[in-house]
Amino acid sequence: MDEIVRQAMAKWPNVPACYDWLALDARGQWFMRDEACQRAGVFPNPKGSPIRHEKLIGFIQRNYLPDDSGAWYFQNGPQRVYVTLEAAPLVLRLLECGGVEAHTGEPLEVSASVLDEEGWLYLLTERGLGLVHSQDMHRAVERIEGGYWQPDLVIRAELPTRFGFVRRPQTSP
């Protein structure tokens, strides 16, 4: 977490959290969802406006964390901005060298793999569950055929409960 964020949290400890304004799609792209977008439908249809500013993306990714309930958020200064997830908390890229990297740029180690009913491959890492980016499925197939991963079959709707994350965080009643 950035030091400037820690300082803001200490200075303003009771800022209310924000919900339904930031989303992460299945390809690791961040989206801002304004009020009109939220009224139009539940993420991912419509997604909202893609965030393209590289420094903002970097700031979000450096300060992207899960809370104790498994809801992922971006710590924006003193405010938690909870993230709506299309698939999983992380989107993973498979590197040519054999490594795995989160959409945040963080290198990760894989401890298990699962495949859902639609053929989406997820990897369990020390940071949580991540969906393998669609452009890297050729590398995933090579690793499965090479015996590095042996995916268990899962039902997509059961992933949040099984792996401890929240797709659409909501305010407490």
Side-chain angles (χ1 to χ4, degrees):
M1 185 179 296
D2 289 1
E3 184 56 34
I4 193 167
V5 172
R6 292 183 208 281
Q7 292 171 4
M9 291 169 60
K11 188 172 182 178
W12 298 289
N14 298 315
V15 174
C18 178
Y19 296 85
D20 290 326
W21 286 84
L22 184 62
L24 180 68
D25 78 356
R27 294 176 65 93
Q29 173 70 50
W30 296 102
F31 288 85
M32 290 292 287
R33 295 179 44 78
D34 62 17
E35 191 173 342
C37 182
Q38 291 178 46
R39 282 194 308 268
V42 177
F43 181 77
N45 296 313
K47 286 188 176 188
S49 300
I51 298 174
R52 302 260 189 244
H53 192 279
E54 290 301 318
K55 289 190 183 224
L56 176 57
I57 291 169
F59 183 62
I60 291 169
Q61 294 181 165
R62 285 191 311 275
N63 297 286
Y64 179 56
L65 307 160
D67 70 12
D68 292 338
S69 73
W72 285 70
Y73 65 92
F74 153 52
Q75 188 69 46
N76 184 24
Q79 184 177 51
R80 283 187 179 185
V81 178
Y82 281 92
V83 177
T84 301
L85 306 171
E86 182 175 6
L90 303 169
V91 177
L92 305 174
R93 299 306 308 253
L94 307 184
L95 307 177
E96 191 174 337
C97 67
V100 174
E101 184 177 275
H103 69 280
T104 60
E106 181 179 4
L108 299 170
E109 296 294 323
V110 176
S111 59
S113 59
V114 295
L115 189 68
D116 74 14
E117 69 274 16
E118 298 295 325
W120 288 19
L121 179 65
Y122 302 83
L123 305 176
L124 185 60
T125 73
E126 66 271 25
R127 285 272 287 154
L129 190 69
L131 173 67
V132 173
H133 194 287
S134 60
Q135 291 181 330
D136 292 340
M137 287 306 293
H138 66 287
R139 288 190 176 132
V141 168
E142 291 170 357
R143 293 179 194 183
I144 291 168
E145 289 177 346
Y148 295 101
W149 302 327
Q150 298 173 346
D152 292 327
L153 299 177
V154 297
I155 306 289
R156 185 179 296 173
E158 296 172 359
L159 289 171
T161 302
R162 183 169 172 184
F163 294 100
F165 67 92
V166 179
R167 276 209 180 100
R168 187 168 183 230
Q170 301 292 302
T171 58
S172 300

